[in-house]
Structures are given as structure tokens and as C-alpha cells.
Amino acid sequence: MKSGAAGDHLGGAESKRKIRGVEIVATVPAKSPQESRAMKFLAACTLAPILCFAFQDLGSRVDGMDWLTYGYAAWPLMIAPVLMLALFIRNRELIRNPRMGSNFSQTIKIVSSMYLVWNIIGAIGYSWLAVVSVLSSLTILVTDRQFKRQARA
């Protein structure tokens, strides 16, 4: 597998193998190393609260663990959009340049929409501090469009 600018074709890292005279090409979905790092961080921000919810639910059913409160699951859910906003701002070049980061742009919008819904519920039912997460999710959704408009102009 080649990596770096010299080995990349069309912005993605490629791996080529010849089997019985047939060349097989496998392309990594990320279009740039920067997008690959951003997607890994986004995956961690997405999966950590989900795993906390699963562990909290499972732990509260088994042996009646009292220390696994709803806060154990709610706080990661409220912190994740703030971390995603920092990721979004740090990697705004991926939004401006669709050749580098179209997958990142689409994925972060989907994930922030998901967190928007759950944090609105959290703001109503758990803590008003979830409003910060709601604003972070809304900022990602609105600013994504603004970055794309600036890039076109």
C-alpha cells in the first residue's frame, strides 16, 4: 500500500494486488489522511455515549448497581457535540474543499442532527446544560452551509 502524496490517486490511498493476472484495486473511503483522522475522532464521539448508555442500562438491570445513574450516560451525550464542534472548527478545510472531505461533511451533519434531537430531550428532561450541546449541534448544521457557500464564491 502506498501512502503520501506520491502514492495517492484521486485523493484516496490505494492498495493494488495482482492475483492470476487480474489487478484488484481497493480504495480507502477517506479522500485524505486529514479526513481519515477526523472521521476516527467523530466515530469515537459518536460511539462513546452510545456505549455509556448501553453499559448504564445493562448495569442498572444486573445486581441493582446504584452508582450507574442517568448522569453516567447523559453527560457523555452532552459533551460529544461540544467536542464535535471543536473537531468541525479544526477541520473546516474539509468542508470548504469537497474533494478532500465530502464524507466528513455529510457524516458530521448526520451525527449532529442525531445529537440535536437527543439533547433537546435531555435539556427538557435532565439538565438545562444540554442547551450548550443543542447550540453546538445547530452551529455545526448552520456553519456547514456557510462554509460551502464561501467555498463556491
Side-chain angles (χ1 to χ4, degrees):
M1 178 187 299
K2 296 180 181 179
S3 62
D8 291 354
H9 300 281
L10 302 174
E14 291 186 358
S15 173
K16 295 183 181 183
R17 294 180 76 185
K18 282 198 173 190
I19 299 175
R20 296 184 191 166
V22 177
E23 186 175 339
I24 299 171
V25 179
T27 305
V28 178
K31 294 185 178 184
S32 69
Q34 184 181 6
E35 183 184 31
S36 179
R37 283 190 305 273
M39 292 291 277
K40 287 176 186 174
F41 188 81
L42 184 61
C45 286
T46 305
L47 291 177
I50 293 169
L51 292 175
C52 287
F53 264 109
F55 186 66
Q56 188 272 335
D57 187 42
L58 185 71
S60 64
R61 289 184 186 176
V62 177
D63 296 331
M65 294 181 186
D66 293 334
W67 59 274
L68 289 174
T69 64
Y70 286 113
Y72 176 79
W75 280 101
L77 185 72
M78 292 188 297
I79 292 171
V82 177
L83 293 176
M84 289 186 330
L85 180 61
L87 175 71
F88 181 78
I89 292 170
R90 185 172 180 218
N91 293 297
R92 61 187 171 270
E93 189 59 37
L94 293 174
I95 307 299
R96 288 187 183 136
N97 187 355
R99 290 183 180 175
M100 283 179 54
S102 62
N103 295 334
F104 175 72
S105 175
Q106 292 172 354
T107 306
I108 200 164
K109 284 191 297 187
I110 292 169
V111 172
S112 63
S113 298
M114 177 185 72
Y115 277 111
L116 178 66
V117 171
W118 287 110
N119 278 302
I120 289 172
I121 294 168
I124 294 169
Y126 181 73
S127 173
W128 63 270
L129 288 174
V131 170
V132 174
S133 299
V134 169
L135 293 175
S136 296
S137 296
L138 286 172
T139 302
I140 290 171
L141 293 171
V142 171
T143 308
D144 183 82
R145 291 182 182 159
Q146 295 298 323
F147 281 159
K148 287 181 180 178
R149 284 183 187 162
Q150 289 175 358
R152 283 188 225 141

